[in-house]
Amino acid sequence: MKYKFSSSIILGSILAALLGGCSAGDPETANTSGDSLAEKSFVAPGEKDEFYLFYSGGHSGQVFVAGIPSMRHIVTIPVFSPYPGTGYGFDDESRAMLGEYTWGDVHHPGLSQTDSLYDGRWLFVNDNANNRVARIDLRDFKTKQILGPIPNSSGNHGSSFVTENTEYILVATRFSVPLPKGRVAPMESYADEFNGMVSGIKVDQETGEMSLGWQILTPPFNWDLGSTGKGPSSGWAFWTSYNTEMAHETLEVNASQRDRDYAAFVNWKSAEQAVADGKAEMIDGVPVLDPSAVPGVMYFVPVGKSPHGVDTDPSGRWIVASGKLQPTTTVYDFEKVLAAIEAEDFQDTFRGIPVLNYDAIAEGEVPVGLGPLHTQYDGEGNAYTSLYIESAVAKWKLPPWTEEQRADMESIVTDKMPVHFNIGHLVVGGSDTREPYGKWLVAMNKLSKGRHANVGPSQPESSQLIDISGEKMEMVFEAYTEPEPHFAQILKVDAIEPIEVYPKAENHHPHAVWSLDEGTTWREGDTVHAKIVAVRSRFGPEKIEAKVGDKLVIHVTNIEQTSDMIHGLGISEHNINVVIDPGETKTITLDLKKPGVFPFYCTNFCSALHQEMQGYLVVEPAGETAMSQ
């Protein structure tokens, strides 16, 4: 089978959609509303949602948690940016995790898996801007580790993709740079001197601790979205590239020249073994494989023009990739991929890397519509593809197809739902596992276009909840989120049991104190230490004395063992606010630079006497004897 789409055909299709697409995109006809739809998303006060929705927070650097079906925002998990709401980035531990950065660009959260099912242990998220990956522990919804910047890697967009048993978090670069990082080469030498990279971030199975395992050198393509294999594609991972042309300027034109780009099909288990066999070269302290010298690690696969997403179905057999400038999405049969590799059925090589024969591995091209990006699955044999240009979600049937269906591929598409507007990602619960939840689909739309009350020029994005439990999709609810949810994961609420109190027995902080009598301050040279107890409704001690030039180290313990009894510690005019959960101890270090008497107080409302929960930091001028000395 051979397919080729010229720019004129694509442009014509776009115009046709604009002229005739009103029926698909008309918000007035999209949802007939009514009590029955409202009831589907209604969660009564005091009742709980059935699912968590973990949104990426985009360039806010955070992760947002909402409930499904209510779509109510529940909590923000700070990850790559300080967040005064929970004191993240103000205490010593979280400030050290953030390092020199005060923001990140969160794109694609990925839940940990065991046997290709969510295991409820961790949530991993990537930072596209600063080449980092973070791990959130779902026991307490807190960020526990930030790894990076990753060596030899620039633009950590193609992650966080979790392997079947969370052996690795797989990462691919959006940008290519001269390697190792820090080396400079002229842009005119882009094709020869710049490289991209695929990285395997190894995960400790007991603790979740991440470390850099290995890397695979690639041509200077711009790697985009990816996914991991399972079943027949076990041990494999897939990424698309929208810049097989290796353009380095005016990419909107120069990276759209070829009718087909490449996807990379990577055998990560072979890569792991090749590194163990000593076939890697060390670059900036990381074992790096050259796939042209290590056969079997990487193959290229032709994919539709300027692709974005590539998604593995629950069986692991069907790999779906969409070219966003081609009105179809391609289904690859991974069993045919393995057969083509075995038969060395290659149509070409690129820099020593085999290019698989497209006609030998493509099961078919499904005419889903304009601007296909990402595909999700409901576990019932149906796929859902987001259509950016058309502002819609297309529902279609996965193979196997009958001869009649193959003769009329339009019949494969069984439904289409308009969304508002310009959808990017979409998510179906468990789509990347072998047992999707089905039931709900969330469309994450890049533009809200004033569907909300006017809030001025800075507008939120829209997220729309779609019921996919029936034959036809039903629009149920829409919510607005701050920019910008790129991707999300859905997890059953009853799949995890987060703690609400840190048990005293688990607090091993060396400076934790558990009664007001134990609270104390003392001086060691130019450093003043304070062990402070926070409990309804006072601090103990309530006075800290020091002098200008001192370093002040405060260890504050919230000795409450009751759920939701949270305390904060804000120090006036010192840019300090930490929030201490029940049973938790946090340490704050600050240099005292100005004299005066500075109130400190509880910033998290905790009781009827919350206003009374305060104390004073007394800072004598330099050279004078502080009272605590």
Side-chain angles (χ1 to χ4, degrees):
M1 79 190 74
K2 294 185 182 300
Y3 303 87
K4 185 174 182 179
F5 291 86
S6 69
S7 299
S8 60
I9 292 175
I10 296 171
L11 179 60
S13 300
I14 293 172
L15 289 174
L18 292 175
L19 292 172
C22 293
S23 61
D26 183 353
E28 300 306 319
T29 61
N31 182 353
T32 55
S33 180
D35 293 342
S36 62
L37 290 179
E39 289 172 357
K40 288 187 175 183
S41 65
F42 179 68
V43 178
E47 298 297 320
K48 298 178 181 178
D49 284 289
E50 184 179 2
F51 300 96
Y52 293 109
L53 176 66
F54 295 97
Y55 280 110
S56 73
H59 43 278
S60 78
Q62 322 292 28
V63 168
F64 307 135
V65 183
I68 293 178
S70 75
M71 299 294 282
R72 297 178 298 198
H73 177 86
I74 300 173
V75 74
T76 295
I77 304 174
V79 184
F80 293 116
S81 304
Y83 187 62
T86 61
Y88 184 81
F90 292 85
D91 67 292
D92 289 2
E93 184 180 6
S94 59
R95 197 157 50 186
M97 266 200 305
L98 290 172
E100 62 183 296
Y101 302 101
T102 57
W103 82 288
D105 190 6
V106 175
H107 273 245
H108 312 117
L111 287 162
S112 59
Q113 298 188 19
T114 298
D115 193 21
S116 296
L117 295 174
Y118 297 148
D119 59 25
R121 291 185 293 170
W122 307 301
L123 180 73
F124 301 93
V125 291
N126 60 320
D127 171 12
N128 179 48
N130 301 309
N131 310 306
R132 298 178 291 174
V133 178
R135 173 174 51 86
I136 296 165
D137 194 328
L138 295 182
R139 182 173 183 256
D140 59 3
F141 282 47
K142 299 284 182 67
T143 300
K144 294 301 171 67
Q145 185 189 6
I146 296 176
L147 178 74
I150 301 169
N152 307 316
S153 184
S154 184
N156 178 19
H157 184 258
S159 75
S160 307
F161 304 117
V162 182
T163 58
E164 304 144 83
N165 290 292
T166 320
E167 300 94 336
Y168 288 95
I169 308 303
L170 299 180
V171 173
T173 52
R174 174 179 174 182
F175 307 114
S176 294
V177 296
L179 298 176
K181 286 196 285 189
R183 187 170 72 87
V184 176
M187 294 303 300
E188 292 73 18
S189 65
Y190 181 85
D192 298 319
E193 294 289 337
F194 289 58
N195 282 100
M197 195 69 77
V198 168
S199 302
I201 308 296
K202 192 171 181 59
V203 180
D204 184 285
Q205 296 298 292
E206 295 299 321
T207 66
E209 189 76 7
M210 299 179 291
S211 59
L212 190 50
W214 41 261
Q215 295 182 316
I216 304 173
L217 195 71
T218 78
F221 298 164
N222 291 61
W223 296 111
D224 211 329
L225 270 295
S227 65
T228 56
K230 61 180 80 68
S233 56
S234 172
W236 289 76
F238 318 98
W239 286 271
T240 60
S241 167
Y242 56 87
N243 186 21
T244 306
E245 295 87 348
M246 298 186 293
H248 66 274
E249 58 184 3
T250 322
L251 263 64
E252 66 173 338
V253 174
N254 295 326
S256 305
Q257 297 300 303
R258 299 179 56 156
D259 281 340
R260 285 183 183 149
D261 284 280
Y262 287 144
F265 282 25
V266 175
N267 188 331
W268 63 262
K269 285 189 176 177
S270 290
E272 180 184 54
Q273 186 61 50
V275 171
D277 292 342
K279 297 179 179 178
E281 174 189 357
M282 297 300 290
I283 302 178
D284 201 9
V286 184
V288 178
L289 295 169
D290 179 353
S292 67
V294 186
V297 168
M298 177 180 284
Y299 299 88
F300 289 148
V301 169
V303 66
K305 190 179 185 71
S306 298
H308 195 48
V310 55
D311 299 280
T312 309
D313 91 307
S315 75
R317 178 177 177 182
W318 311 111
I319 314 299
V320 176
S322 302
K324 56 182 181 277
L325 298 183
Q326 179 173 315
T328 61
T329 192
T330 303
V331 182
Y332 300 92
D333 183 345
F334 200 78
E335 292 182 357
K336 293 180 179 178
V337 169
L338 294 176
I341 292 172
E342 178 68 20
E344 297 187 356
D345 188 1
F346 308 140
Q347 67 180 48
D348 200 355
T349 61
F350 187 91
R351 295 191 176 180
I353 301 170
V355 180
L356 298 182
N357 183 351
Y358 180 85
D359 293 335
I361 62 174
E363 184 70 7
E365 294 183 350
V366 182
V368 289
L370 299 177
L373 297 181
H374 308 283
T375 298
Q376 296 278 282
Y377 311 95
D378 63 7
E380 300 295 329
N382 300 304
Y384 302 81
T385 299
S386 59
L387 305 174
Y388 178 84
I389 296 174
E390 199 169 324
S391 287
V393 174
K395 177 182 179 181
W396 52 279
K397 293 186 65 66
L398 284 166
W401 298 316
T402 65
E403 287 305 316
E404 291 76 13
Q405 289 171 326
R406 288 182 180 280
D408 177 15
M409 292 296 280
E410 296 280 355
S411 66
I412 299 298
V413 181
T414 57
D415 193 19
K416 190 170 283 190
M417 168 65 70
V419 295
H420 314 97
F421 297 90
N422 296 95
I423 182 174
H425 277 278
L426 72 174
V427 62
V428 173
S431 174
D432 53 350
T433 73
R434 59 181 171 84
E435 293 180 1
Y437 305 152
K439 197 168 185 177
W440 297 110
L441 181 153
V442 177
M444 287 162 271
N445 310 313
K446 296 301 183 187
L447 303 177
S448 54
K449 287 288 186 184
R451 286 172 64 85
H452 43 77
N454 194 334
V455 293
S458 292
Q459 301 201 9
E461 300 192 3
S462 75
S463 296
Q464 295 185 303
L465 182 69
I466 299 172
D467 182 352
I468 58 170
S469 60
E471 183 177 347
K472 296 294 183 182
M473 295 180 279
E474 281 191 300
M475 180 69 72
V476 172
F477 192 81
E478 71 180 354
Y480 304 100
T481 53
E482 295 187 16
E484 82 177 284
H486 289 277
F487 187 46
Q489 296 268 267
I490 294 173
L491 180 66
K492 287 182 177 177
V493 166
D494 61 10
I496 58 176
E497 294 185 19
I499 60 170
E500 295 186 343
V501 171
Y502 292 103
K504 179 180 177 181
E506 293 184 14
N507 186 325
H508 302 297
H509 194 290
H511 297 294
V513 285
W514 294 94
S515 70
L516 288 167
D517 293 339
E518 294 179 89
T520 184
T521 65
W522 74 99
R523 171 178 290 277
E524 290 180 344
D526 293 333
T527 302
V528 173
H529 300 267
K531 293 182 181 179
I532 296 180
V533 165
V535 65
R536 285 165 286 173
S537 298
R538 62 181 294 190
F539 292 107
E542 295 178 316
K543 183 171 65 177
I544 303 171
E545 296 170 316
K547 61 183 179 181
V548 173
D550 283 343
K551 175 179 290 185
L552 176 61
V553 183
I554 299 173
H555 312 285
V556 55
T557 301
N558 179 350
I559 65 173
E560 309 273 4
Q561 291 287 279
T562 303
S563 173
D564 210 10
M565 283 299 104
I566 301 166
H567 296 296
L569 175 64
I571 304 177
S572 178
E573 298 182 10
H574 280 77
N575 196 36
I576 288 293
N577 174 53
V578 295
V579 174
I580 316 101
D581 293 332
E584 190 177 34
T585 300
K586 286 187 174 175
T587 297
I588 314 149
T589 301
L590 64 158
D591 294 322
L592 301 178
K593 299 178 180 177
K594 53 189 176 186
V597 177
F598 303 97
F600 60 83
Y601 66 102
C602 180
T603 54
N604 208 93
F605 203 98
C606 56
S607 72
L609 297 176
H610 168 73
Q611 287 293 91
E612 285 80 350
M613 192 168 174
Q614 66 172 55
Y616 287 99
L617 167 62
V618 180
V619 184
E620 302 281 355
E624 296 192 15
T625 302
M627 295 176 68
S628 64
Q629 190 168 17

